[in-house]
């Protein structure tokens, strides 16, 4: 078994890819949540409410599409998830 020690350049290159990975994962979660919103909106009984929710979701996700701050993205993702579950709960009551 060969024990290799990483030099500083290798460590920095590994750490440099980590924020990109976090951004990638947040984007994947956002896309998954967007798809779930669209599926849930289809179950809203009134057409006017359905259109209103569709416009709201579409505009908000489009507005935050290019958010680069990971902290802001994660907070917004949490808020969108809470909104999703409250809408989903309201429909299934």
């Amino acid at each position: 078994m060969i024990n290799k020690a990483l030099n500083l350049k290798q460590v920095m290159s590994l750490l440099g890819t980590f924020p990109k990975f976090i951004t990638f994962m947040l984007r994947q979660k956002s896309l998954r949540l967007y798809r779930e919103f669209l599926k849930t909106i289809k179950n809203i009984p009134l057409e006017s409410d359905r259109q209103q929710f569709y416009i709201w979701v579409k505009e908000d996700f489009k507005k935050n599409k290019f958010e680069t701050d990971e902290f802001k993205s994660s907070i917004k993702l949490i808020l969108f998830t809470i909104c999703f579950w409250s809408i989903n709960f309201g429909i299934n009551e």
Side-chain angles (χ1 to χ4, degrees):
M1 182 170 144
I2 300 173
N3 189 6
K4 280 188 171 181
L6 296 175
N7 63 23
L8 184 60
K9 188 176 181 180
Q10 290 171 327
V11 171
M12 292 307 288
S13 69
L14 289 174
L15 290 176
T17 60
F18 188 69
K20 293 176 187 173
F21 179 71
I22 292 173
T23 305
F24 171 77
M25 291 305 294
L26 286 173
R27 182 166 170 78
Q28 293 304 311
K29 287 181 181 180
S30 297
L31 291 172
R32 187 178 318 126
L33 184 61
Y34 181 73
R35 286 190 295 268
E36 288 295 321
F37 259 119
L38 294 180
K39 287 178 188 176
T40 301
I41 288 172
K42 289 179 182 178
N43 296 327
I44 295 175
L46 292 174
E47 178 66 29
S48 60
D49 290 343
R50 199 175 318 136
Q51 285 295 327
Q52 193 175 20
F53 275 112
Y54 178 74
I55 291 169
W56 171 71
V57 167
K58 185 177 177 182
E59 287 178 356
D60 263 15
F61 274 88
K62 188 181 279 190
K63 181 174 60 176
N64 295 307
K65 182 178 182 178
F66 297 105
E67 182 65 56
T68 56
D69 186 11
E70 292 160 7
F71 180 73
K72 285 182 183 177
S73 296
S74 59
I75 294 298
K76 288 178 182 179
L77 188 63
I78 291 168
L79 292 174
F80 277 130
T81 305
I82 292 169
C83 290
F84 170 75
W85 286 111
S86 62
I87 291 169
N88 203 8
F89 180 73
I91 291 172
N92 293 330
E93 265 190 359

